[in-house]
């Protein structure tokens, strides 16, 4: 009898503890899923955040915002946990000071951006589609260029990030990505670089 | 040299007189930005102007006119590292985006050398190309393009 009581007791304690820990885990996940948290690191605050300020997802006619986690952290629980584990890599680089100056950040920027583009391509820009959906777009209400390209893009199997790079931040040096959209180097200037 | 310096004060005086009379004549016409309102009154806020929605290319009025921008450009960034306009208007990209390609003049340096990419003097597109708002002309304009170059 006593043995059974202890067993049930441990089970109950286990469940209660589980709920608390589980809750705490999810609570911690929520706490780290805010703009405030993201910009608590100067690496994020002094670079990407400054560029995001005033752009369409921060300031617009309707006052609806998209903050850092909206675009960078998945909504579905399992993907979210995966992203959080990946984020421990950011902690490592924080300690290492990989991007702790503007110069270092600019130097590493293309690599970081490529990670984000790759992730978005793999998920068909899932985070964008959490808010925007091709199917809910009223093409007739859109501008002439958007209407044409969205219809064509959808048919060609393209995803948001194929066309909307740089939607929230400045772009890195794009010479490799699109050599036709950068400043020409004057032949006489080449030697001085 | 001597006779010149003797004339100077006279010239100066004439100059000052001329300026003063010009000023009093202009004083009636020139208004500050706040208009005729007394300093204690609040001036009326003018209507907010909005950029036009995306549309077809606008007619050009004369040869070598930089064409007006017929679409929105909010948030388009031009930095030393990337030019958003060229992501649609470069020779590589224009077809995919149904845009007009930049003309050859945009590749020429000031010494007439044709470069492989857009020259620095044409890199900052908004120096010459501008979008339009719903604002009405401030002064009447009777300019009419020559029939032969009109794009109508």
């Amino acid at each position: 009898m006593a043995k059974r009581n202890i067993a049930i007791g441990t089970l109950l304690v286990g469940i209660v503890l589980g709920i608390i820990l589980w809750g705490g885990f999810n609570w911690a996940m929520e706490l780290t899923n805010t703009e405030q948290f993201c910009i608590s690191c100067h690496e994020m605050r002094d670079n990407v955040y400054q560029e995001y300020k005033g752009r369409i997802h921060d300031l617009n006619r309707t006052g609806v915002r998209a903050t850092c986690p909206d675009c960078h952290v998945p909504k579905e629980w399992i993907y979210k946990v995966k992203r959080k584990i990946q984020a421990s890599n950011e902690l490592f680089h924080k300690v290492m000071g990989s991007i702790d100056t503007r110069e270092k950040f600019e130097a590493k920027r293309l690599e970081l951006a490529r990670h984000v583009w790759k992730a978005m391509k793999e998920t068909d820009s899932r985070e964008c589609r959490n808010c925007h959906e091709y199917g809910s777009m009223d093409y007739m209400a859109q501008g002439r260029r958007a209407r044409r390209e969205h219809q064509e893009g959808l048919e060609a199997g393209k995803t948001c990030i194929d066309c909307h790079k740089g939607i929230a931040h400045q772009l890195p040096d794009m010479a490799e990505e699109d050599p036709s959209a950068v400043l020409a180097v004057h032949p006489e200037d080449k030697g001085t670089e | 040299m001597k006779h010149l310096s003797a004339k100077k004060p006279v010239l100066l005086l004439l100059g000052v007189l001329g300026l003063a009379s010009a000023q009093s004549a202009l004083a009636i016409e020139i208004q500050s930005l706040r208009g005729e309102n007394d300093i204690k009154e609040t001036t009326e806020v003018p209507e907010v102007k909005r950029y036009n929605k995306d549309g077809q290319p606008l007619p050009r009025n004369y040869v070598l006119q930089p064409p007006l921008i017929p679409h929105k450009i909010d948030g388009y960034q031009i930095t030393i590292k990337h030019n958003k306009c060229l992501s649609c208007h470069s020779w590589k990209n224009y077809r995919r985006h149904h845009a007009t390609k930049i003309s050859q003049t945009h590749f020429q340096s000031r010494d007439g050398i044709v470069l492989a990419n857009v020259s620095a003097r044409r890199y900052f597109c908004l120096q010459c190309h501008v979008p339009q708002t719903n604002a009405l002309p401030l002064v009447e304009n009777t300019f009419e393009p020559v029939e032969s170059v009109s794009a109508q």
Side-chain angles (χ1 to χ4, degrees), chain B residues 18-68:
Chain B
L19 253 179
S21 61
Q23 239 171 10
S24 58
L26 284 174
I28 318 154
E29 287 157 37
I30 288 182
Q31 282 180 4
S32 75
L33 277 177
R34 54 176 288 113
E36 283 177 342
N37 278 8
D38 192 75
I39 194 89
K40 280 172 255 155
E41 287 166 40
T42 323
T43 27
E44 206 180 311
V45 182
E47 188 76 29
V48 175
K49 303 292 183 296
R50 292 186 198 289
Y51 285 110
N52 295 349
K53 291 212 173 100
D54 285 15
Q56 294 176 22
L58 297 154
R60 299 184 200 181
N61 289 320
Y62 53 92
V63 183
L64 295 186
Q65 176 200 336
L68 296 164

Side-chain angles (χ1 to χ4, degrees), chain B residues 5-144:
Chain B
S5 60
K7 262 184 194 162
K8 236 184 197 164
V10 184
L11 276 176
L12 251 176
L13 189 67
L14 276 176
V16 169
L17 276 176
L19 253 179
S21 61
Q23 239 171 10
S24 58
L26 284 174
I28 318 154
E29 287 157 37
I30 288 182
Q31 282 180 4
S32 75
L33 277 177
R34 54 176 288 113
E36 283 177 342
N37 278 8
D38 192 75
I39 194 89
K40 280 172 255 155
E41 287 166 40
T42 323
T43 27
E44 206 180 311
V45 182
E47 188 76 29
V48 175
K49 303 292 183 296
R50 292 186 198 289
Y51 285 110
N52 295 349
K53 291 212 173 100
D54 285 15
Q56 294 176 22
L58 297 154
R60 299 184 200 181
N61 289 320
Y62 53 92
V63 183
L64 295 186
Q65 176 200 336
L68 296 164
I69 305 176
H71 56 69
K72 298 193 125 198
I73 55 163
D74 307 72
Y76 288 174
Q77 295 197 326
I78 300 175
T79 67
I80 195 131
K81 294 176 173 155
H82 180 68
N83 185 318
K84 173 77 179 178
C85 312
L86 291 174
S87 72
C88 289
H89 286 283
S90 76
W91 285 34
K92 176 167 168 276
N93 299 328
Y94 79 95
R95 264 195 221 97
R96 201 153 21 98
H97 296 281
H98 313 280
T100 322
K101 71 172 186 294
I102 48 171
S103 53
Q104 288 194 2
T105 53
H106 294 64
F107 295 89
Q108 268 168 29
S109 78
R110 64 178 167 199
D111 319 310
I113 301 170
V114 179
L115 304 168
N117 254 323
V118 171
S119 156
R121 66 214 279 255
R122 290 278 167 111
Y123 190 72
F124 298 100
C125 320
L126 301 180
Q127 280 180 303
C128 306
H129 299 281
V130 286
Q132 297 295 290
T133 67
N134 61 354
L136 295 169
L138 289 172
V139 287
E140 196 197 353
N141 186 346
T142 53
F143 177 87
E144 271 186 41

Side-chain angles (χ1 to χ4, degrees), chain A residues 27-76:
Chain A
W27 177 70
M29 288 232 300
E30 281 317 307
L31 209 66
T32 54
N33 230 17
T34 59
E35 180 183 82
Q36 276 313 312
F37 173 74
C38 301
I39 59 172
S40 64
C41 279
H42 74 89
E43 284 91 341
M44 302 288 106
R45 188 180 60 240
D46 296 345
N47 299 306
V48 275
Y49 175 62
Q50 297 306 327
E51 301 163 2
Y52 153 85
K53 273 202 287 189
R55 300 288 298 271
I56 190 86
H57 289 98
D58 175 49
L59 193 72
N60 58 53
R61 183 175 57 90
T62 51
V64 183
R65 291 175 81 222
T67 60
C68 330
D70 289 326
C71 286
H72 290 294
V73 184
K75 281 247 173 334
E76 293 85 350

